[in-house]
């Protein structure tokens, strides 16, 4: 590769926070010999630049004159600044072909400043001092400084990387499938990572045999993408025989399921509320916000890419779900994130080969989520973080987005003759085969063989796209729109043109760099790209708007009306497929699902009613400090949840702003002609699913629902989204749990009268044959009609009554407390259950809130009443005197008496804790007539949480002790976000 004359610019002085994080993480890894670190930014400029160019860029762009200083010289292997005191050096840069967003932005700014046509690449230089031998340096590089999936490094000055200047590739390979037996087809599928089964490969062979030719590489990749689990949801469309076994392995039930997706859609169709605009048929679900606006919502996953490259995977997860919302013509107004990681204290020796340490994964994912949302100017308003050893090798990254648009402004019908217009970022090699990669199991060498499947994000380009789409929508300049997500142009054009046919010339597609083969251009998942169907007469105006917002647009083909997908590279045909075979030719799978009831419990749980205050008090503190329960301030403080000024309920509340709230409430800009706001919440608890996926699903819906009710939302106008992350569905035990969870969602939807409006499944989440815990995230969107109805856990006063609504049953299976004391679940192993008539109680609580009878509300979830009451004390920084009992209105008589441990730590669903003026208790009782509730105590001035059971004190803790456990140092330290 010939390198043009290059100038190396070193920028020092601004990397102290980064350096402090490196030292902190090195200590976590046991590399105590690293005593000092300096982080230097390096920019290589080629063109060649003049001295004036370099001086201008340093002065105007690259250097903060208060903190930083720059030096520069022509690049050579010895041109870098020599570190003092014999420090060791590591320089890290992106691999050639991986998008360097910082460099691309610098190039654009340089053009604006009138410099020569420059090219740029960036490098990070680490100068490390201390007792650092070669082995220590290797550990630092491998475990902390470099992700070799997307990065390269050198123990000295790293040679600049500029993509080779060659002409466009035009090679089109023909793949011999006609006459191939099943073994040969399987080999082809494995070598190309097509993620297709034997029947699907055979269907492709038979099709091409029938037309007497073999497929091109692009056709094979197009079919693999379109038929991937990620894109077509073939497990959720499969015919399933579901078998239920008892604990002894005897069959006790059998049923036939005509598609899991059909079950969910049928429930939504049965409910069909008048405020539902679109469900399961577009990039996002759409519901009414008010008389003039509609609200869209979508949640996606980006698990496999985040396992390989945590920052880029999470970054583009946010970018992708934002584009989903743009793809239904709405303007994004908020994003969400739910993250699942391995335990942060996992010993390095317990991390499998080829897997990043959970702390490093968490650091990258959290930074990636924040980077994208913050740069777009969107509040990251809601979320959760779950830690479990089952996610060590396979983290889960759920990213959500909410948008608003005028009603009826989203067109969905491309017409023959419309231009296929590509807008946004240029196409590169990043993200190739992402759809098929996400449909396969992770293995120890996945990073080496599938590194190109990791996308790289550029939020600034996406922000420009948002402005263009909104302007083009308002001027009615397109007939349809979608995003380039999984599968890139192959998916976007193939799906948009399904009913009409499309023809594309790949030569017209703008590239980030030369050298891409046709199939790579077609399949690339390079980010920040949208596809429009535009009438030829509207192209000039769209181009004019694009220039205003500095977005590149290009017509790359037309919608034809011939029912075929035709892709050319100049005069050469790359893809020629009938749309009906592309979309309907995939064989429908027939699968077996097997669910085994858990064995009955053996042994007895010690009578916890006789436990001492120290026993249960210590357990309260341990549960509060559990990473899944404890404060997530170290995460959400890296996100801007206030931007745009519409956040009414934030992640925390209380005098110290450190107690958790239950859901986010937002009042979007442009909606101030009324008081309606929207609330968004989530329900997720994979531990319950390890006991019973059906109850987990019911509970996830209930948790999301009661979180909305707790902030004042109307329970009769709630929309739900489902996101299933599961293991390999070809294994009957995995599919059995998944089918049971889907049935739980269906039953919950009908019981709560809440339709599912969108969803996503991410399957094959396994590492070397070990699955993640089957994980269902339920997201709920509701509406608060008046500002006065917005409620948080922090609104009470000393003397107020504490009222618990809903029964508690001895259900400790899958509970956080049972993880810390396994004996608790020995006699009560069942998963937490949900109320039989939830809407009765939630409507009553909502009426109490709208009548002004509730000063504060909070829901018990992980950790049960013990944690909810502790959090209530934190939200007021006052004490609580609480009395619970073995029986009474809060104890389900059919379930039997409750001992102290079960009463405190059971995670039974359907409960809320209310804080009420004593003068309003009688009025509250009238509103809650027929709903189990009880005044269990009061807020008191003395800052202690005192809980008695049957009159005997079982918990007596100072609020300062609760705060120390909740805000534990290890939690604040977990992701390296505390100032050094």
């Amino acid at each position: 590769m010939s390198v043009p004359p290059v100038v190396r610019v070193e920028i020092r002085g601004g990397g102290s926070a980064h350096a402090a994080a490196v030292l902190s993480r090195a200590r976590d890894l046991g590399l105590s010999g690293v005593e000092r670190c300096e982080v230097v930014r390096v920019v290589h400029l080629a063109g060649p630049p003049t001295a004036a160019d370099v001086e201008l860029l340093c002065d105007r762009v690259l250097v903060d004159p208060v903190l930083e200083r720059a030096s520069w010289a022509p690049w050579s292997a010895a041109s870098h600044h020599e570190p003092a005191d014999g420090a060791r050096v590591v320089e890290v840069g992106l691999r050639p072909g991986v998008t360097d967003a910082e460099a691309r932005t610098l190039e654009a700014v340089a053009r604006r400043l009138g410099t020569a046509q420059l090219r740029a690449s960036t490098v990070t230089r680490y100068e490390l001092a201390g007792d650092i031998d070669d082995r220590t340096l290797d550990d630092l590089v491998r475990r902390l400084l470099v992700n070799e999936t997307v990065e390269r490094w050198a123990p000295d000055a790293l040679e600049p990387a500029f993509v080779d200047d060659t002409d466009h590739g035009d090679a089109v390979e023909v793949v011999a499938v006609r006459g191939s037996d099943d073994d040969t087809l399987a080999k082809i599928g494995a070598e190309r990572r097509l993620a297709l089964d034997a029947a699907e490969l055979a269907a492709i062979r038979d099709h091409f045999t029938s037309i007497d030719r073999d497929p091109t590489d692009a056709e094979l990749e197009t079919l693999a993408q379109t038929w991937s689990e990620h894109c077509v949801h073939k497990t959720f469309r499969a015919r399933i025989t579901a078998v239920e076994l008892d604990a002894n392995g005897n069959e006790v039930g059998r049923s036939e399921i005509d598609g899991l997706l059909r079950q969910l859609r049928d429930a939504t169709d049965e409910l069909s509320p008048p405020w539902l605009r679109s469900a399961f048929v577009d990039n996002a679900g759409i519901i009414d916000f008010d008389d003039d606006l509609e609200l869209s919502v979508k949640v996606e996953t980006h698990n496999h890419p985040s396992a390989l490259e945590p920052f880029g995977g999470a970054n583009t997860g946010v970018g992708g779900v934002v584009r989903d919302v743009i793809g239904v013509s709405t303007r994004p107004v908020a994003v969400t994130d739910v993250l699942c990681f391995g335990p942060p204290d996992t010993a390095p020796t317990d991390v499998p080969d080829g897997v990043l340490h959970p702390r490093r994964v968490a650091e990258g994912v959290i930074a990636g989520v924040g980077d994208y949302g913050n740069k777009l100017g969107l509040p990251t308003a809601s979320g959760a973080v779950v830690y479990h050893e089952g996610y060590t090798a396979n983290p889960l990254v759920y990213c959500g987005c909410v948008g608003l648009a005028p009603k009826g402004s989203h067109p969905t019908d491309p017409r023959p003759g419309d231009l296929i217009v590509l807008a946004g970022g240029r196409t590169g090699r990043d993200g190739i085969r992402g759809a098929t990669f996400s449909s396969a199991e992770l293995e120890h060498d996945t990073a080496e063989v599938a590194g190109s499947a990791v996308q790289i994000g550029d939020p600034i380009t996406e922000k420009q796209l948002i402005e263009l789409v909104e302007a083009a929508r308002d001027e009615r300049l397109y007939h349809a729109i979608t995003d380039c997500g999984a599968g890139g142009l192959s998916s976007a054009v193939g799906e948009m043109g399904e009913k009409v046919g499309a023809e594309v010339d790949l030569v017209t597609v703008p590239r980030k760099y030369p050298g891409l083969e046709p199939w790579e251009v077609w399949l690339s998942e390079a980010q920040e790209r949208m596809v429009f169907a535009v009438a030829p007469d509207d192209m000039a105006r769209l181009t004019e708007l694009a220039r205003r917002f500095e977005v590149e647009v290009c017509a790359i083909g037309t919608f034809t009306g011939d029912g075929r997908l035709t892709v050319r590279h100049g005069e050469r045909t790359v893809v020629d497929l009938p749309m009906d075979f592309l979309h309907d030719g995939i064989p429908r799978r027939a699968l077996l699902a097997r669910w085994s009831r858990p064995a009955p419990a053996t042994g007895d749980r010690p009578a916890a009613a006789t436990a001492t205050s120290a026993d249960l008090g210590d357990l309260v503190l341990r549960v509060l400090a559990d990473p899944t329960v404890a404060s997530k301030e170290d995460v959400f403080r890296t996100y801007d949840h206030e931007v745009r000024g519409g956040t009414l309920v934030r992640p925390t509340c209380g005098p110290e702003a450190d107690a958790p709230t239950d859901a986010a409430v937002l009042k979007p800009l442009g909606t101030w002609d009324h008081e309606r706001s929207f609330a968004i919440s989530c329900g997720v608890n994979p531990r319950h699913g390890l006991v019973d996926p059906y109850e987990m699903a019911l509970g996830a819906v209930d948790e999301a629902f009661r979180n909305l009710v707790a902030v004042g939302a109307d329970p009769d106008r709630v929309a739900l989204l489902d996101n299933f992350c599961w293991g390999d569905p070809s294994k009957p035990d995995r599919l059995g749990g998944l089918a049971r969870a889907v049935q739980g969602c269906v039953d919950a939807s009908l019981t709560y009268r809440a339709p599912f409006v969108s969803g996503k499944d991410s399957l094959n989440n396994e590492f070397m044959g070990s699955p993640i815990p089957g994980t269902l995230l339920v997201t709920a969107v509701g509406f608060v009609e008046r500002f006065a109805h917005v409620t948080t856990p922090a609104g009470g006063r000393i003397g107020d009554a504490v009222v618990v609504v809903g029964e508690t049953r001895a259900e400790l299976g899958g509970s956080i407390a049972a993880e810390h004391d396994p004996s608790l679940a020995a006699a009560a192993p069942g998963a937490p259950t949900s109320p039989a008539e939830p809407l009765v109680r939630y409507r009553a609580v909502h009426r109490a809130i709208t009548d002004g009878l509730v000063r504060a509300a909070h829901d018990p979830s992980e950790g049960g009443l013990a944690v909810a009451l502790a959090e209530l004390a934190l939200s007021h920084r006052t004490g609580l005197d609480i009395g619970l009992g073995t029986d009474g209105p809060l104890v389900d008589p059919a379930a039997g008496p409750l001992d102290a441990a079960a009463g405190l730590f059971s995670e039974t669903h359907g409960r809320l804790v209310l804080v009420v003026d004593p003068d309003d208790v009688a009025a509250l009782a009238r509103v809650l007539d027929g709903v189990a509730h009880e005044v269990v105590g009061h807020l008191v001035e003395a800052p202690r949480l005192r809980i008695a059971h049957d009159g005997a004190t079982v918990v007596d803790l100072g609020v300062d002790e609760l705060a120390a456990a909740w805000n534990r140092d290890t939690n604040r330290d977990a992701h390296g976000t505390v100032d050094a």
Side-chain angles (χ1 to χ4, degrees), residues 414-422 479-480 496 531-540 554-559:
R415 304 170 186 178
D418 281 351
L419 299 175
I420 301 171
V421 178
L422 178 62
H479 295 142
M496 189 182 287
V531 174
F532 300 87
V534 179
D537 290 346
D538 290 324
M539 186 62 192
C554 178
I556 64 171
T558 58
F559 291 105

Side-chain angles (χ1 to χ4, degrees), residues 469-503:
V469 171
E470 184 175 36
R473 176 203 68 199
D474 291 346
E475 294 193 28
R476 307 284 179 169
L477 295 181
Y478 57 86
H479 295 142
I481 182 175
T482 194
D483 74 308
C484 277
L489 290 170
S490 168
S491 174
V493 176
E495 291 178 7
M496 189 182 287
E498 179 180 358
K499 304 301 182 185
V500 291
E503 182 171 351

Side-chain angles (χ1 to χ4, degrees), residues 91 158 187 424 628 643 740 804 825 872 877:
E91 290 201 353
L158 187 65
K187 184 178 180 182
T628 294
V643 65
R740 192 163 170 80
V804 174
L872 203 62
R877 281 307 196 272

Side-chain angles (χ1 to χ4, degrees), residues 497-677:
E498 179 180 358
K499 304 301 182 185
V500 291
E503 182 171 351
V504 171
D505 186 353
L506 295 177
V507 169
T508 63
V509 176
R511 291 152 165 80
K512 294 179 180 179
Y513 39 77
L516 297 175
E517 300 295 342
W519 78 269
E520 293 177 310
V521 176
W522 183 236
L523 270 296
S524 169
E525 294 178 16
Q527 298 291 285
E528 290 78 45
R529 299 179 300 162
M530 304 293 294
V531 174
F532 300 87
V534 179
D537 290 346
D538 290 324
M539 186 62 192
R541 177 56 179 161
L542 181 65
T543 302
E544 183 181 347
L545 286 177
R547 280 197 298 267
R548 178 193 303 176
F549 296 112
E550 298 183 331
V551 176
E552 187 170 17
V553 298
C554 178
I556 64 171
T558 58
F559 291 105
T560 59
D562 65 0
R564 299 190 71 82
L565 177 62
T566 305
V567 182
R568 307 185 191 282
H569 190 272
E571 296 299 318
R572 186 163 190 179
T573 299
V574 175
V575 174
D576 184 8
L577 292 170
M579 285 291 191
D580 57 356
F581 177 68
L582 179 63
H583 292 285
D584 301 321
I586 180 173
R588 191 178 182 190
R589 287 181 166 178
L591 300 173
L592 174 65
R594 185 181 298 115
W595 164 251
S596 298
R597 295 177 183 175
T602 57
D604 297 318
R605 183 174 74 249
T610 62
T612 66
S613 174
D615 292 336
L616 291 182
D618 177 68
L619 186 55
V620 169
L621 294 178
R622 282 189 284 145
V623 170
L624 268 179
D626 186 284
T628 294
V629 175
S631 170
K632 307 303 185 300
E633 188 173 358
D634 59 313
V635 176
F636 69 74
R637 290 297 183 199
T638 68
Y639 306 151
D640 191 337
H641 51 272
E642 303 278 2
V643 65
R644 299 179 66 85
T647 307
L648 303 181
V649 176
R650 299 156 180 82
T652 56
C653 63
E656 302 295 328
D658 65 347
T661 54
D662 295 294
V665 181
L666 296 102
K667 181 63 176 171
L669 291 174
T671 67
W672 287 94
D673 55 331
H674 55 71
E675 292 192 15
R676 177 177 289 176
S677 53

Side-chain angles (χ1 to χ4, degrees), residues 25-109:
R25 298 285 72 80
R27 288 193 294 271
D28 290 342
L29 294 172
L31 304 175
S32 57
V34 184
E35 299 171 357
R36 182 178 63 81
C37 174
E38 182 176 3
V39 178
V40 183
R41 289 192 297 125
V42 177
V43 177
H44 294 123
L45 299 171
T50 66
D53 292 336
V54 179
E55 294 288 359
L56 179 64
L57 290 174
C58 287
D59 180 56
R60 300 283 297 276
V61 182
L62 293 174
V63 179
D64 180 340
V66 176
L67 299 174
E68 298 175 324
R69 64 190 187 279
S71 60
W72 58 276
W75 184 88
S76 72
S79 66
H80 61 280
H81 176 81
E82 289 290 344
D85 305 324
R88 305 296 297 267
V89 171
V90 174
E91 290 201 353
V92 181
L94 294 169
R95 291 182 178 274
V98 176
T99 300
D100 189 336
E102 182 180 348
R104 299 294 79 77
T105 301
L106 179 59
E107 291 169 355
V109 172

